[in-house]
Amino acid sequence: MVMRPKITNQIRRLRFEAGEMTQKDLAEKVGVTRQTIMAIEGAKYFPSLELAFLIARAFGQPLDAVFQCEEGT
């Protein structure tokens, strides 16, 4: 059986630390909808690699400071 990794993110925390940036503000910076950001934050949708890098750049952070991959169960 293949174990799927668990992908988590720090977007909500980073938005708060960035002056309480709204989901809409972040969405506009990276060219997606607020609903997309909401789904990514809630781990209901996983972004493409391109979008993940855009989100990390919006916060001035490396990719692994925004997204983490843990061993699956």
Side-chain angles (χ1 to χ4, degrees):
M1 181 162 108
V2 176
M3 295 174 59
R4 298 189 65 172
K6 180 180 179 185
I7 299 173
T8 59
N9 70 74
Q10 303 300 313
I11 295 173
R12 184 179 174 129
R13 179 184 60 79
L14 290 166
R15 284 192 305 103
F16 180 78
E17 291 174 358
E20 299 188 22
M21 176 190 298
T22 66
Q23 290 175 336
K24 182 180 177 190
D25 293 337
L26 177 58
E28 289 174 355
K29 283 186 174 206
V30 300
V32 297
T33 66
R34 181 193 62 80
Q35 290 84 355
T36 298
I37 297 300
M38 183 173 62
I40 294 169
E41 277 188 17
K44 302 218 184 316
Y45 171 76
F46 300 107
S48 66
L49 189 54
E50 177 184 9
L51 179 54
F53 274 107
L54 288 172
I55 292 169
R57 284 187 192 147
F59 292 116
Q61 297 288 328
L63 188 62
D64 63 350
V66 181
F67 295 95
Q68 296 76 43
C69 183
E70 302 169 6
E71 291 297 318
T73 56

